[in-house]
Amino acid sequence: MKRTIAGIDIGNSTTEVCIATIDQHENIVFKASSDVMTTGTKGTLDNIRGIKEALGKALDAANMHLSEIDKICLNEAAPVIGDTAMETITETIITDSTMIGHDPSTPSGEGLGVGETILITSLKYADADRSYIVIIPKEIDYESAAKLINESDKRITGAIVQNDEAVLVQNRINLFIPIVDEVKYIERIPTAVLAAIEVGGTGKSVQSLSNPYSIANIFKLTHEETKRIIPIAKSLIGNRSAVVVRTPHGEVKEKVLPSGKLSLINEKGNVTKVNIDHGAAKIMDSISHMKELVNIEGDAESNVGNMLKRMRRELYNLSNAAMQNISIKDLLAVDVLVPIDVKGALAGEVSLEKAVAIAAMVKTDKLPMQMLADAIFKELGIESEVAGVEAVMASLGALTTRGSSLPLAILDLGGGSTDAAIVSKDGTVKTVHLAGAGNFITMLINTQLGLNNLSLAEDIKKHPLAKVESLFYIRLETGEVKFFNEPLSPKVFGRVVVCKGNELIPIETKHSLEKIMMTRKAAKKDVFVQNAVRALREIARDHEIKNISNVVLVGGSALDFEIPHMILEELSYYNIVVGKGEVRGCEGPRNAVATGLVLSKVGRA
Ligand code: ADP
Ligand code: MG
């Protein structure tokens, strides 16, 4: 009997549909496919809105009507949900307004200026035998400030301005001195103390104030004192300009914050504790050495502890499973440096602090997919069933990739988790689910670049960068130049942009193109290269990794323009053929599960 089947894969991020007809001879003809964003948490009734939308899209493409569908097959969705959190482990504190680093957008002048701080209005009373750095509070406008400097007979080596007026002052004075502006709390800068100002040369960042020995030389520091100013030098690396002030009692401290412990619990109830502030390598090492890990808990006062608790509660509310059947099965930790406001700073400075970012995965026995199937039947009047385990279906779909054969491993690079399966020659399937996937990369980009904008971070992840060098051309991150016939918007001029198709999206930060690119690549490597190896080690435990001859990459993150290459490079070392799936020769790495659901119905009328 001829029948029309719709396979529907509800993922954490995406709902995918595949429509096909199977005739009386069990020949299958694929009609259309589609994908939309999943509505609500996977496995809940909120998903129905997305399901209807995706079905509608596919039916339109196939020029068919809903009533022509005989059966809907849902995947037995992997009962895993991923989430991410971050734990900062260092904090820089400036006490007694001591030394500051500052990076305004438009400093002026060039070079290093060293002198005693003095209020510009007190200049006329100052001793003649010293050098001075003048402080210009906001009440003194640039005209008056320039006049006071020009009329003074004292040796002036630099200026600190509260308003955003460094260039305006510079243009009106007969000296060429480094000037730093936008110092918000200028009144907190002590007077009559030694200070140094530096503005980097064209295209350069500060050279002296980012070097501990230069700072030691300027301020005549002892060996012990030099050790203590390392956080300052470190926080000034890459800045275009900087100010460092020395007061008798001031101090900059790099404090290590207590960030709690993770408890790894095994089947026998044995607990291994690992300190979060020992860093990612230590955490991952402990996890990989843990046999039969059944749950992970975090200290109550830590961010990670709270996240793990929240995730378990969420899945509990969703699945009606008993709380003890919901556990944190895996965790992926990555060391990061995040820009964080310095406590006690004078101009809103930020310092790069060490942190550990963590993606975790909660797992329960089963998601209530049958309930969803019942609801679909009620709403659409179409017979609906839960038809197959996600990973098995994904393997069936992935096998439609030309050139693949059994034994086959798939890596499903999704949003919340990295799922892997291995299908042996006799058809048995072994699966693993690992924490950390596409959404974790977006979070790593967002926090490390201090963007505070997840959708921009998502765009940075998915598309290449360019620098807008003139109104008529841009330089792509590959070095290539691209010309335009029409002038570009002045809004993007001089900026680093994301090239999203024909759209250029400006990135509002001071980071260079190289820095953004490096952060993007490192995040992808930390998450997916690490997870690919972890997953294959896990599923190949009984065999050797090298017995897995082919790996097909599927899922949304396999669409990435560099992740498949990174994985290929890493796995080529193990002699494994790995590549992006070509599901049915036309879907790329998408639609594997939905396709598998339909295929699983062939021969089962
Ligand atoms: P799920 O199966 O969990 O619903 P998907 O397979 O749809 O997840 O993968 C979602 C992830 O894929 C998201 O993190 C998203 O950012 C990422 N993604 C989607 N398209 C692209 C792309 N073109 N490049 C890189 N990542 C992408
Ligand atoms: Mg998926």
Side-chain angles (χ1 to χ4, degrees):
M1 187 186 67
K2 185 175 165 187
R3 56 211 191 274
T4 303
I5 312 267
I8 304 183
D9 165 26
I10 304 155
N12 282 310
S13 316
T14 316
T15 298
E16 299 180 337
V17 167
C18 170
I19 298 178
T21 55
I22 305 174
D23 67 16
Q24 59 270 43
H25 307 298
E26 298 303 306
N27 293 321
I28 185 162
V29 179
F30 290 96
K31 294 290 189 186
S33 63
S34 68
D35 56 85
V36 302
M37 241 164 73
T38 296
T39 47
T41 311
K42 141 174 117 174
T44 61
L45 294 182
D46 294 340
N47 297 161
I48 292 192
R49 203 155 42 84
I51 292 175
K52 285 208 271 196
E53 193 191 333
L55 268 176
K57 252 174 96 174
L59 286 168
D60 281 350
N63 213 354
M64 288 170 71
H65 191 259
L66 192 63
S67 59
E68 292 174 62
I69 296 180
D70 300 301
K71 186 182 252 179
I72 288 177
C73 302
L74 296 182
N75 59 325
E76 179 75 72
V80 298
I81 293 180
D83 199 359
T84 58
M86 200 176 62
E87 209 68 77
T88 313
I89 55 191
T90 60
E91 178 184 53
T92 303
I93 304 170
I94 299 180
T95 54
D96 195 23
S97 64
T98 157
M99 301 174 151
I100 63 166
H102 179 40
D103 200 13
S105 47
T106 51
S108 182
E110 190 180 314
L112 179 72
V114 179
E116 208 173 81
T117 51
I118 189 164
L119 213 57
I120 189 159
T121 45
S122 310
L123 204 52
K124 53 181 179 288
Y125 314 114
D127 291 341
D129 61 344
R130 282 177 240 171
S131 302
Y132 293 98
I133 286 186
V134 291
I135 298 176
I136 307 173
K138 65 170 181 290
E139 306 78 62
I140 315 277
D141 62 35
Y142 57 88
E143 296 277 6
S144 328
K147 192 156 173 275
L148 285 168
I149 292 173
N150 285 335
E151 284 169 0
S152 171
D153 55 355
K154 305 288 155 43
R155 197 160 62 238
I156 298 168
T157 52
I160 306 174
V161 190
Q162 189 166 22
N163 294 330
D164 181 10
E165 294 177 345
V167 178
L168 296 172
V169 173
Q170 185 82 76
N171 289 343
R172 287 166 177 74
I173 59 177
N174 344 328
L175 299 167
F176 188 67
I177 50 171
I179 306 179
V180 167
D181 59 4
E182 294 177 76
V183 175
K184 210 150 122 209
Y185 304 108
I186 204 163
E187 68 284 355
R188 291 198 210 149
I189 300 180
T191 51
V193 297
L194 194 59
I197 291 188
E198 186 178 1
V199 175
T202 311
K204 282 196 196 144
S205 57
V206 295
Q207 302 293 309
S208 300
L209 296 183
S210 55
N211 175 7
Y213 293 125
S214 301
I215 301 178
N217 198 30
I218 295 166
F219 294 103
K220 314 268 177 301
L221 304 182
T222 63
H223 172 65
E224 277 310 307
E225 289 169 325
T226 307
K227 264 206 217 150
R228 285 207 295 274
I229 53 95
I230 286 175
I232 302 180
K234 215 180 74 190
S235 74
L236 296 179
I237 293 173
N239 274 19
R240 266 276 286 140
S241 67
V243 182
V244 172
V245 181
R246 186 179 198 213
T247 62
H249 308 293
E251 229 188 326
V252 173
K253 276 194 235 157
E254 190 179 72
K255 198 171 119 190
V256 174
L257 303 169
S259 51
K261 288 192 188 71
L262 290 169
S263 304
L264 314 178
I265 305 160
N266 76 2
E267 216 160 25
K268 296 200 185 81
N270 296 336
V271 180
T272 305
K273 294 213 177 227
V274 49
N275 261 322
I276 296 171
D277 52 30
H278 286 171
K282 195 84 206 291
I283 298 173
M284 295 318 290
D285 192 52
S286 302
I287 290 178
S288 73
H289 282 100
M290 192 83 183
K291 293 222 172 65
E292 284 131 18
L293 180 71
V294 290
N295 197 12
I296 303 173
E297 278 169 19
D299 281 355
E301 67 273 19
S302 67
N303 290 335
V304 172
N306 287 334
M307 169 183 78
L308 300 181
K309 212 159 104 195
R310 189 180 64 236
M311 287 172 74
R312 287 185 68 194
R313 183 153 322 122
E314 200 177 306
L315 205 53
Y316 170 70
N317 291 338
L318 187 78
S319 66
N320 304 321
M323 200 65 167
Q324 63 267 27
N325 291 342
I326 297 173
S327 48
I328 310 291
K329 271 295 164 57
D330 185 48
L331 184 147
L332 178 67
V334 173
D335 287 325
V336 291
L337 288 173
V338 286
I340 288 183
D341 290 344
V342 173
K343 273 198 190 150
L346 298 186
E349 294 93 296
V350 294
S351 163
L352 286 180
E353 306 290 356
K354 283 187 208 146
V356 176
I358 288 181
M361 191 196 62
V362 264
K363 192 168 192 310
T364 179
D365 310 338
K366 216 172 174 181
L367 282 176
M369 298 304 287
Q370 188 54 49
M371 179 190 74
L372 202 55
D374 296 343
I376 292 172
F377 175 65
K378 241 195 197 150
E379 214 163 296
L380 304 180
I382 301 172
E383 187 190 337
S384 302
E385 64 174 27
V386 183
V389 175
E390 179 162 328
V392 180
M393 296 301 120
S395 310
L396 269 181
L399 260 175
T400 63
T401 298
R402 188 179 294 276
S404 65
S405 72
L406 295 178
L408 167 91
I410 61 155
L411 281 173
D412 183 350
L413 314 177
S417 65
T418 304
D419 307 310
I422 183 163
V423 193
S424 58
K425 278 216 167 89
D426 61 8
T428 51
V429 180
K430 188 174 166 191
T431 63
V432 286
H433 304 282
L434 297 177
N439 301 345
F440 191 36
I441 297 176
T442 307
M443 180 260 210
L444 289 172
I445 294 173
N446 187 43
T447 51
Q448 295 199 87
L449 296 177
L451 300 175
N452 244 325
N453 182 341
L454 276 175
S455 85
L456 178 62
E458 180 81 7
D459 282 336
I460 291 176
K461 174 177 85 173
K462 287 185 186 164
H463 309 281
L465 300 166
K467 176 96 189 210
V468 181
E469 293 188 338
S470 94
L471 286 178
F472 289 96
Y473 68 86
I474 63 175
R475 188 174 296 275
L476 304 173
E477 64 176 55
T478 52
E480 222 175 304
V481 174
K482 184 175 170 188
F483 291 92
F484 295 85
N485 291 328
E486 299 295 319
L488 298 165
S489 154
K491 265 195 276 183
V492 299
F493 179 70
R495 291 222 168 257
V496 179
V497 294
V498 179
C499 307
K500 187 178 182 177
N502 285 330
E503 202 186 344
L504 299 178
I505 303 168
I507 305 172
E508 311 274 335
T509 78
K510 287 182 193 147
H511 301 301
S512 66
L513 182 146
E514 286 71 24
K515 161 89 191 188
I516 300 171
M517 187 168 80
M518 267 164 51
T519 307
R520 179 191 78 209
K521 285 184 193 272
K524 290 176 179 176
K525 200 153 180 256
D526 284 341
V527 176
F528 278 125
V529 171
Q530 181 163 214
N531 266 356
V533 174
R534 279 196 323 139
L536 295 180
R537 283 232 165 92
E538 183 81 19
I539 49 174
R541 208 167 251 180
D542 316 333
H543 329 262
E544 287 261 302
I545 281 200
K546 61 177 192 299
N547 290 346
I548 306 171
S549 50
N550 40 132
V551 177
V552 176
L553 305 175
V554 298
S557 299
L559 289 169
D560 190 275
F561 69 104
E562 50 195 354
I563 290 169
H565 302 156
M566 290 177 173
I567 297 179
L568 173 68
E569 260 167 10
E570 180 73 20
L571 295 187
S572 66
Y573 172 77
Y574 296 93
N575 230 339
I576 298 174
V577 183
V578 50
K580 202 157 47 170
E582 288 292 349
V583 175
R584 289 189 271 114
C586 64
E587 297 283 348
R590 279 254 181 237
N591 213 255
V593 176
T595 298
L597 282 165
V598 174
L599 285 173
S600 72
K601 289 286 139 192
V602 176
R604 289 205 271 151

